[in-house]
Amino acid sequence: MKAPDILRSVKDFLFSRTNREFLIFLFFFAVAGIFWLMMTLNETYEQELRICVHYNNVPKETVLTSAEVDTLRVVVRDKGYVLATYLYDAGRRQISVDFATYAKGGKGTVPASDLNKLLVQEFNASTKVVSIKTDKLTFYYNNGEKKKVPVRYSGKVVPEDLYFISGTYYLPDSVTIYASRDVLDSISTVYTEELNYTNFHDTLNVRARLRRIAGVKMVPDEVALRFVTDVLTEERINDVPVIGINMPPGKTLRTFPPKVSITFVTGIKNYSKLRPTDFTVVADYNEFSRNPSPKCTLHLTRTPNGISRVKLQTTSVDYLIEESSL
């Protein structure tokens, strides 16, 4: 079909009697909608807005340890069409607080009355500030005092049954915090926001923000975490030597057997790396010399990381004290 024929068909369709009546209906419906919208927007309403607070005239040597830009929740009242313009500009409206006016002793407090004056300048003359969702605005700062602290996660991170977390890695594993000296001295570790991950079996990679502390700035304020999983297995390692401790000069301990076995639960990947020298089993001369007996008691004093439910297969052995020849 040629283009003129197509245009003629469309024209006949649109301007047929039935469609013409429908188009007239749509026209009056649109006009009614416009009048309704104008009447609605001419009514007075209240609306909650978020207004950014920016601190200016901050000295170069000063570090704001609270957010450099805070956010106020403000309820305002005005005509609907005015509020519509505020909503359209949401996120771009801000007030500026002069740092030097309110800063004192590492802390600054801006009362609600001053905030109200700053807000009035930001809105139209017809707009009334009904309320500010805070009785004051507080910010913290210092003159560069800082220290580095390790990061640890908080929350619930539990893999599927028969799996366990064999390693947790942080990037970075520590962050720099800025705060007043007494606050710095009270913080030894910072934690992530609550994590909640369950029933996974593959390595889990997440990004997490650090839990905020009032008056403390953290750089960076988020970290990457990697939870490495492994399959739980009950294993045994043999030939762990028994070592005599606290032996008097000239005496040597001989045990029978001289080596023992240890059972434990660990991950398959971790088990392949373990060696008998990773464990230490001792017999204490001070203990068995005070209570003479044909057997001496064994103690497991050192185990590698990543294992649990460690158990000596033999808890006591026969022994002999040999005198060393001079």
Side-chain angles (χ1 to χ4, degrees):
M1 183 179 290
K2 297 181 180 180
D5 296 332
I6 295 174
L7 291 174
R8 189 179 301 109
S9 298
V10 172
K11 180 180 178 182
D12 292 341
F13 173 78
L14 290 176
F15 291 97
S16 65
R17 180 179 179 82
T18 302
N19 288 326
R20 188 165 60 249
E21 292 176 353
F22 179 67
L23 290 174
I24 293 172
F25 167 77
L26 287 180
F27 171 76
F28 283 105
F29 181 79
V31 171
I34 292 171
F35 277 109
W36 173 84
L37 181 61
M38 292 175 63
M39 292 177 62
T40 300
L41 291 177
N42 202 44
E43 296 290 330
T44 299
Y45 300 95
E46 290 186 359
Q47 177 66 46
E48 181 176 296
L49 303 174
R50 292 181 179 272
I51 307 297
C52 293
V53 180
H54 178 73
Y55 301 101
N56 56 18
N57 298 324
V58 180
K60 290 182 178 180
E61 68 278 6
T62 298
V63 177
L64 284 172
T65 55
S66 53
E68 292 185 6
V69 178
D70 281 320
T71 302
L72 289 178
R73 294 167 56 200
V74 181
V75 177
V76 297
R77 182 188 299 128
D78 208 331
K79 299 289 186 180
Y81 60 85
V82 177
L83 296 180
T85 62
Y86 295 156
L87 293 173
Y88 177 76
D89 289 338
R92 288 183 287 182
R93 290 183 176 272
Q94 69 173 30
I95 59 173
S96 294
V97 172
D98 182 62
F99 175 85
T101 302
Y102 303 98
K104 184 178 181 181
K107 179 180 177 181
T109 301
V110 186
S113 57
D114 288 5
L115 292 174
N116 190 75
K117 293 176 183 177
L118 293 170
L119 287 168
V120 168
Q121 299 172 14
E122 181 64 23
F123 296 120
N124 291 349
S126 61
T127 303
K128 178 177 177 57
V129 177
V130 178
S131 65
I132 305 173
K133 297 295 182 70
T134 181
D135 57 350
K136 61 184 177 181
L137 180 67
T138 303
F139 61 90
Y140 300 87
Y141 65 94
N142 73 8
N143 292 320
E145 293 93 342
K146 63 182 179 179
K147 78 173 184 179
K148 208 165 190 178
V149 293
V151 177
R152 293 293 179 267
Y153 80 88
S154 62
K156 183 179 180 182
V157 182
V158 182
E160 292 179 358
D161 292 341
L162 303 181
Y163 286 82
F164 80 113
I165 296 174
S166 61
T168 303
Y169 304 93
Y170 302 85
L171 185 66
D173 60 3
S174 58
V175 298
T176 301
I177 60 173
Y178 297 82
S180 61
R181 177 50 53 189
D182 57 337
V183 173
L184 287 177
D185 292 341
S186 68
I187 299 175
S188 59
T189 305
V190 294
Y191 294 89
T192 66
E193 293 179 344
E194 290 289 313
L195 302 180
N196 187 17
Y197 296 94
T198 58
N199 298 323
F200 60 94
H201 60 269
D202 292 328
T203 296
L204 176 65
N205 295 292
V206 299
R207 292 198 68 84
R209 296 190 66 83
L210 298 179
R211 187 187 304 165
R212 295 187 64 180
I213 304 173
V216 178
K217 180 178 182 178
M218 304 177 191
V219 180
D221 60 0
E222 69 173 22
V223 295
L225 296 94
R226 187 181 189 195
F227 298 95
V228 179
T229 59
D230 201 353
V231 180
L232 282 173
T233 179
E234 186 169 3
E235 296 292 347
R236 171 176 173 156
I237 197 161
N238 301 314
D239 299 327
V240 179
V242 177
I243 301 172
I245 61 172
N246 297 318
M247 299 299 296
K251 294 182 182 291
T252 302
L253 176 68
R254 303 290 184 191
T255 62
F256 307 95
K259 298 180 179 180
V260 294
S261 299
I262 297 173
T263 60
F264 50 87
V265 172
T266 188
I268 291 176
K269 298 174 188 174
N270 191 47
Y271 175 65
S272 64
K273 304 174 186 176
L274 296 178
R275 300 290 181 269
T277 52
D278 295 326
F279 300 82
T280 300
V281 177
V282 303
D284 189 349
Y285 178 83
N286 291 336
E287 180 181 320
F288 59 74
S289 64
R290 286 195 301 265
N291 302 292
S293 170
K295 293 182 178 292
C296 62
T297 302
L298 302 181
H299 301 281
L300 183 62
T301 60
R302 183 173 68 94
T303 60
N305 294 328
I307 68 173
S308 61
R309 290 183 248 168
V310 188
K311 184 179 180 182
L312 281 166
Q313 288 294 91
T314 303
T315 57
S316 62
V317 293
D318 296 324
Y319 71 96
L320 177 66
I321 303 296
E322 291 184 346
E323 297 285 345
S324 300
S325 57
L326 299 177

